[in-house]
Amino acid sequence: MNLTLTETQTLVQKTAREFAQKVIAPEAARLDAESRFPREILKGLADLGLMAVNVPEDLGGSGAGALSYALAMEEVAAACASTAVTMAVTNMVGEIIAHFGTPAQREFHCPRLADGTYAAGSFALSEAGAGSDPGGMSTTATLLESGEGYVLRGDKQWITSGAHAGVFIVWARTGNRETHAGTRGISCFLLDGGTPGLTIGKAEDKLGLRASNTVPLVFDDIQLPKTALLGELNGGFKIAMMALDGGRVGISAQAVGIARAALAESVQYARDRKQFGKAIGEFQGIQWKLADMSTKLEASRLLCHRAAALKEAKKPFSREASMAKVFASEAAVEICNEAVQIHGGYGYTRDFAAERHLRDVRASTIYEGTSEIQRIVIARSQLA
Ligand code: COS
């Protein structure tokens, strides 16, 4: 793996870092405290090309590649994890449409996701009874007798940005239950925000990522035209799996960004805080914590960048994405937990960001596939 960044990657990293530190970071605590969706900040990210980093330029995206995306994600997450997850899902939605969409679908939705016309895009896979096992979903899209479209019926759960999305990618069961059971009878559809019959439920009151929006959706016999089908009929499960592989690289980068911020603040605190007549950073107990935190952080970043580099080279990267996700997210939880410990009593208050990082990072071992699911993917690849 080449560890030297290209000119494009360096530029994307610099652009994201400047915007994240100047514009996003000063707002993060307030956005969290007010559980406020970062609408204006997202528009700023779109203006910089960061809402569609992997969407080709002819569709309005940056076409900068998977590693550039990981670099940008780390920068944004280091400033505000809520903004980062909103950016992550929107980027994923744009990439799926660019990859699997018809020319009309691509040309309609990708530029709107890229330029911020849509505040966000949403990925509607999970259901109340189908989280780790999306193949067990019960939402259906039934072909009309005329054959001219589908009726979408059911509900979804944990939908990031659902109250603000311009477009949803929705997975629904289309297959005959006998010939296309389980994962083989699922298709993927595009649904416009505001479509009659779409109800956005009450936003979840979450431990962290409070400025991101997470809602349930209800589809009440929504009539979808045939042109809403994304990809092949009954081919939707594989689209979800491929998208999640890329999404997991993004979440590992998000975890790296949050942990980086927690570590930097811990180093600063260890320099500033005096006890027993000297800075606490002079005590070996604190030094060893900082050493372990920075080692875990570097290892996480390397795994993330390796998975991103494989993706960019169009090589298989499913196993590496799961390794990056499980390692980086678990390491980041440990790093953020130690950051609170180093900050002592102050770390338990809102006077410092350490508590926000710990609340925010906790989701990263759960969403985009739990740690347990990542271990299933990794183990299966070894045993195959
Ligand atoms: N890329 C492409 N295709 C894939 C794939 C991948 N990464 N992973 C699986 N597939 C394909 C398989 O090859 C199989 O194809 P065939 O039907 O042609 O044989 C099909 O998809 C079904 O795969 P599998 O039998 O492995 O499906 P399972 O139901 O056993 O599920 C896991 C596999 C557990 C990996 C999957 O359900 C999963 O990722 N769950 C977590 C979901 C998740 O991350 N949810 C969070 C949503 S965002 S908050």
Side-chain angles (χ1 to χ4, degrees):
M1 182 169 84
N2 184 355
L3 295 175
T4 311
L5 299 184
T6 63
E7 217 172 292
T8 301
Q9 290 157 357
T10 307
L11 180 66
V12 170
Q13 184 185 46
K14 184 168 172 284
T15 306
R17 182 172 296 168
E18 281 174 9
F19 185 76
Q21 290 308 314
K22 278 194 197 133
V23 179
I24 308 178
E27 292 296 314
R30 199 158 56 89
L31 292 169
D32 169 68
E34 295 173 6
S35 295
R36 189 156 62 78
F37 188 75
R39 183 76 172 91
E40 306 79 26
I41 286 175
L42 295 171
K43 179 70 178 106
L45 287 170
D47 290 344
L48 295 172
L50 297 177
M51 292 300 266
V53 179
N54 278 322
V55 169
E57 285 173 281
D58 61 352
L59 293 171
S62 307
L67 189 48
S68 289
Y69 173 63
L71 294 164
M73 177 54 54
E74 177 182 330
E75 296 305 326
V76 173
C80 173
S82 292
T83 302
V85 69
T86 312
M87 169 181 156
V89 177
T90 304
N91 268 275
M92 181 158 71
V93 166
E95 209 177 320
I96 299 170
I97 299 173
H99 195 83
F100 295 100
T102 60
Q105 289 170 334
R106 290 154 52 105
E107 281 157 26
F108 188 81
H109 294 290
C110 289
R112 287 168 171 78
L113 286 161
D115 71 9
T117 303
Y118 295 159
S122 283
F123 182 94
L125 177 71
S126 299
E127 298 181 0
S132 288
D133 177 22
M137 72 176 58
S138 51
T139 292
T140 54
T142 312
L143 192 63
L144 289 167
E145 271 180 27
S146 64
E148 285 311 305
Y150 299 86
V151 176
L152 181 67
R153 181 179 305 159
D155 31 72
K156 295 285 170 182
Q157 187 75 31
W158 315 120
I159 308 308
T160 302
S161 309
H164 304 272
V167 65
F168 296 81
I169 301 184
V170 179
W171 279 263
R173 189 161 290 291
T174 40
N176 175 308
R177 284 187 192 270
E178 277 154 31
T179 55
H180 292 84
T183 59
R184 298 208 166 152
I186 291 170
S187 303
C188 199
F189 295 90
L190 291 177
L191 176 69
D192 292 338
T195 299
L198 168 64
T199 304
I200 311 289
K202 183 173 167 288
E204 302 296 342
D205 190 5
K206 307 190 296 290
L207 172 72
L209 300 173
R210 293 186 63 82
S212 75
N213 171 257
T214 313
V215 291
L217 308 175
V218 179
F219 311 122
D220 190 7
D221 286 357
I222 298 178
Q223 298 243 349
L224 292 174
K226 261 189 134 174
T227 51
L229 180 69
L230 181 72
E232 286 181 19
L233 187 66
N234 296 322
F237 190 79
K238 284 186 191 170
I239 295 180
M241 291 298 111
M242 288 165 78
L244 284 170
D245 285 344
R248 288 165 186 167
V249 182
I251 296 306
S252 70
Q254 187 206 24
V256 168
I258 303 169
R260 185 185 95 189
L263 174 59
E265 289 155 19
S266 300
V267 169
Q268 190 58 48
Y269 191 81
R271 286 199 183 107
D272 296 344
R273 173 75 173 164
K274 304 241 171 2
Q275 288 292 277
F276 303 100
K278 54 185 177 182
I280 61 168
E282 290 183 39
F283 292 103
Q284 198 176 49
I286 301 294
Q287 290 171 359
W288 284 20
K289 282 189 197 301
L290 295 175
D292 287 346
M293 290 158 82
S294 56
T295 305
K296 284 176 191 167
L297 182 68
E298 290 292 332
S300 302
R301 189 184 282 119
L302 284 169
L303 280 173
C304 167
H305 287 191
R306 175 161 167 259
L310 286 170
K311 180 180 179 216
E312 193 157 330
K314 301 197 186 322
K315 293 191 175 149
F317 70 100
S318 177
R319 183 180 78 118
E320 288 76 8
S322 285
M323 285 178 167
K325 161 77 162 70
V326 69
F327 188 88
S329 62
E330 293 188 351
V333 170
E334 290 164 16
I335 291 167
C336 293
N337 197 35
E338 285 291 50
V340 170
Q341 189 67 23
I342 289 170
H343 283 75
Y346 294 104
Y348 203 62
T349 71
R350 294 202 178 194
D351 294 345
F352 287 83
E355 64 84 30
R356 172 165 54 86
H357 298 318
L358 182 58
R359 286 187 291 105
D360 285 347
V361 82
R362 193 61 189 81
S364 58
T365 65
I366 300 171
Y367 59 22
E368 223 83 337
T370 60
S371 285
E372 292 73 17
I373 289 293
Q374 307 314 319
R375 290 188 167 91
I376 288 175
V377 173
I378 297 163
R380 279 186 183 178
S381 76
Q382 285 170 307
L383 295 167

